Amino acid sequence: MNGKWTTADGAPLFGLLAEFADVDALIEGAEKVRDAGYTKWDAHTPFPVHGLDDAMGIRHTKLSYLVFAAGVFGVFAGLGLQWWTNTVDYSLILSGKPFFALPANIPVLFEVMVLFAAAAAFVGMLAFNNLPLWYHSLFKSRRFLRATNDRFFISIEARDPKFDPRATRALLESLRGAAVEEVEE
């Protein structure tokens, strides 16, 4: 809750929601919202829209760096564990072979790398997307029900530093949208 803005009914304001009938209007609207400098906003579509990420100015994700670092950590953790168990903790002399040989441990290193990278990808995806999210204020909007069917939406949150109900509404109404409405918390 932003605590600053309220709806006409006096309820806390989550933000404003603009509805669009087609993809071209959505992309054009996203570019204008991005250029206006808003940072707490999102676009909602019933299917993936090519070019929407660029129109929204979405940067490359940091998840790939996290996955890479976790994979490297997994390789060294697996290597360290195998070296310690084979040479220090439970060293066995088998047919005069060395206590530790890298080629024999490569399959385990690969598996541990994949395990750590996959776990980091799963946890990182949840963390970066603020998931799980059991409730969202947009679910109160009757119009927003069509977001999974045939309509496109842009929502701008009231906690955006640039948000002003009148100015933001004027911006959204200037786009080629079908409607603009307030959304309660």
Side-chain angles (χ1 to χ4, degrees):
M1 181 173 153
N2 60 54
K4 186 176 178 182
W5 306 108
T6 59
T7 64
D9 300 335
L13 182 65
F14 169 77
L16 295 175
L17 181 67
E19 179 181 353
F20 298 89
D22 59 70
V23 171
D24 295 334
L26 174 74
I27 289 178
E28 183 182 321
E31 289 171 344
K32 289 184 178 176
V33 170
R34 176 200 65 203
D35 293 343
Y38 290 94
T39 57
K40 305 285 184 194
W41 65 285
D42 205 352
H44 312 274
T45 64
F47 50 81
V49 175
H50 182 71
L52 185 58
D53 289 353
D54 293 336
M56 293 178 68
I58 294 177
R59 293 172 295 199
H60 183 70
T61 179
K62 297 175 185 173
L63 185 62
S64 57
Y65 301 116
L66 176 69
V67 170
F68 178 76
V72 170
F73 178 77
V75 166
F76 285 107
L79 185 64
L81 177 66
Q82 290 183 99
W83 174 84
W84 186 77
T85 56
N86 289 334
T87 60
V88 176
D89 187 43
Y90 199 74
S91 56
L92 293 175
I93 298 174
L94 296 173
S95 304
K97 295 179 181 173
F99 292 127
F100 182 77
L102 186 60
N105 297 300
I106 286 178
V108 174
L109 297 181
F110 176 76
E111 291 173 6
V112 173
M113 176 193 69
V114 170
L115 174 68
F116 276 59
F122 179 71
V123 173
M125 183 276 303
L126 292 176
F128 289 153
N129 289 308
N130 296 324
L131 295 174
L133 182 65
W134 307 114
Y135 169 78
H136 198 283
S137 298
L138 291 177
F139 296 154
K140 286 184 176 178
S141 171
R142 297 211 35 93
R143 288 181 189 279
F144 194 68
L145 294 174
R146 295 180 72 180
T148 58
N149 190 11
D150 61 348
R151 290 294 176 160
F152 306 89
F153 294 90
I154 290 177
S155 62
I156 300 178
E157 297 181 27
R159 63 187 175 107
D160 189 295
K162 194 170 172 56
F163 185 86
D164 176 70
R166 290 184 187 153
T168 304
R169 176 178 283 275
L171 171 68
L172 291 175
E173 288 175 345
S174 72
L175 308 176
R176 293 189 303 141
V180 176
E181 72 175 46
E182 293 180 330
V183 179
E184 296 179 5
E185 281 277 347

